[in-house]
Amino acid sequence: MADNFSDKRDGVYEGGSNFSEYKGVTRDKCAESYGVSKEIKISSTSSAFDDLSSYAKQKCQSGVYGYGIRIEDNKTYYIIPLNVEATIDRGYAIYGIPEDVADNFTKAQPGFKQVSNGYFYATLGADGYYHLSSPGNGVRGYFRYWGFSQTGAVQSDKDFPPDRDYVPVTSSTKILYKPWQNSIARQICAVADSYNPSNVSPNAITQVWSALSRFKDMKGQTLADAINIAQTQYGSKISSASMLADYAMISNATPYAGAQVVLVLQEADGWIHYRTYDGIPPRAKPQVTTDSMSYKVTSQSYLVKNSDGTLKYDPAVNRLFARSLHLL
């Protein structure tokens, strides 16, 4: 079982741009333990590239803090490093920081909301947007988008306050089909705008499907409940892993790290919004079998005959029995 460093988790983000190590855990060690890559590559021709902020692109061009630019097969990739602190605190891989996501700094939707015990500290900049700051500086709250996932898509924050009062998924809620192809979904959700289903491994989809009850939204409703209660856009129910892949946006799951699932929902009044679920899939278990097993008890104890002909146990002439176990 890999170490998930849960003893190092806390409720406030202490890092900044330079987050290659956290409480003695290096990026290499964190990536190895969670079974993920220590960096992701975002192609300059992909939809996710447009979601990189100018600040992120500048860091890549400068080659600082593990960011960089790489040319492979005549294609240009921007390198975003694993955020060690965020990965440990949340239990699944997160790459980059909120400052790296352009959609945290648009007027269309607030990219930061104040919450008294929020995970981030942020300060209001001259540009009118809240920017990540060190603990104790500014106000606490949540950014709409964390950074990027293992698939290279934008990663949303489950705990970001909803744009309207929270309501659980009901029977009148509809789950939109292939939200990454839906113009409204792409407009309101950077995850949909940057998502590429071909980057998600079949294994990740299977793992999520087998653990729907482990994934929860910000108020605790499980993904299993949401899928069982809601209808799809076409009036059916999601009934298989392959069908789930047509409706849910999944960040790759591994046997040791959690994952994130995002649905785009339409309520009875027509309101379209997205909802984030995160959780830990079942960990891989070793399979141990034996072809045969034998057990033998060897006793070196003796009985002594009494004068009346009965037998008795005499410790003076006896020893403890020996045991041997043979696994073949």
Side-chain angles (χ1 to χ4, degrees), residues 5-248:
F5 310 113
S6 58
D7 60 314
K8 301 182 184 297
R9 293 176 183 166
D10 56 35
V12 63
Y13 187 66
E14 302 157 319
S17 297
N18 187 3
F19 43 73
S20 61
E21 183 175 334
Y22 179 64
K23 296 183 179 179
V25 181
T26 65
R27 182 177 292 134
D28 286 345
K29 179 62 177 176
C30 183
E32 177 186 3
S33 188
Y34 277 89
V36 299
S37 173
K38 65 180 181 179
E39 62 188 26
I40 57 170
K41 301 184 299 183
I42 296 179
S43 171
S44 61
T45 60
S46 68
S47 57
F49 181 74
D50 294 331
D51 289 291
L52 279 175
S53 67
S54 58
Y55 177 66
K57 293 175 182 177
Q58 180 182 353
K59 286 188 292 184
C60 290
Q61 292 162 359
S62 301
V64 295
Y65 312 136
Y67 291 76
I69 295 178
R70 191 175 298 156
I71 309 296
E72 296 179 1
D73 299 326
N74 295 321
K75 294 182 179 180
T76 302
Y77 295 93
Y78 281 63
I79 307 303
I80 309 297
L82 181 70
N83 186 327
V84 179
E85 178 181 356
T87 297
I88 290 174
D89 282 346
R90 284 303 172 96
Y92 53 85
I94 295 174
Y95 296 83
I97 56 177
E99 295 285 330
D100 296 337
V101 184
D103 284 69
N104 277 330
F105 309 100
T106 66
K107 297 297 184 183
Q109 298 181 106
F112 178 85
K113 290 186 180 181
Q114 293 187 40
V115 178
S116 60
N117 60 345
Y119 181 69
F120 295 103
Y121 275 90
T123 55
L124 185 62
D127 58 1
Y129 298 107
Y130 279 91
H131 292 269
L132 185 64
S133 62
S134 57
N137 294 320
V139 296
R140 295 185 71 168
Y142 293 97
F143 282 93
R144 183 179 292 272
Y145 302 110
W146 253 110
F148 295 85
S149 73
Q150 298 170 66
T151 63
V154 171
Q155 190 118 320
S156 57
D157 191 338
K158 178 186 75 173
D159 293 322
F160 185 80
D163 295 314
R164 293 202 321 194
D165 290 342
Y166 172 90
V167 291
V169 168
T170 67
S171 58
S172 62
T173 304
K174 293 184 177 180
I175 306 172
L176 295 194
Y177 178 72
K178 293 186 176 179
W180 52 91
Q181 295 180 355
N182 184 293
S183 59
I184 296 177
R186 291 171 64 93
Q187 182 178 355
I188 67 168
C189 180
V191 180
D193 191 46
S194 61
Y195 190 73
N196 183 349
S198 64
N199 290 338
V200 181
S201 71
N203 182 60
I205 299 168
T206 301
Q207 283 196 23
V208 171
W209 178 253
S210 68
L212 293 175
S213 61
R214 293 173 179 259
F215 289 82
K216 298 179 180 180
D217 68 11
M218 67 180 305
K219 294 295 185 180
Q221 187 177 33
T222 67
L223 184 57
D225 286 341
I227 288 175
N228 289 333
I229 294 171
Q231 299 182 36
T232 69
Q233 181 178 348
Y234 301 109
S236 60
K237 295 284 187 178
I238 296 175
S239 57
S240 67
S242 60
M243 193 174 179
L244 178 71
D246 285 335
Y247 287 88

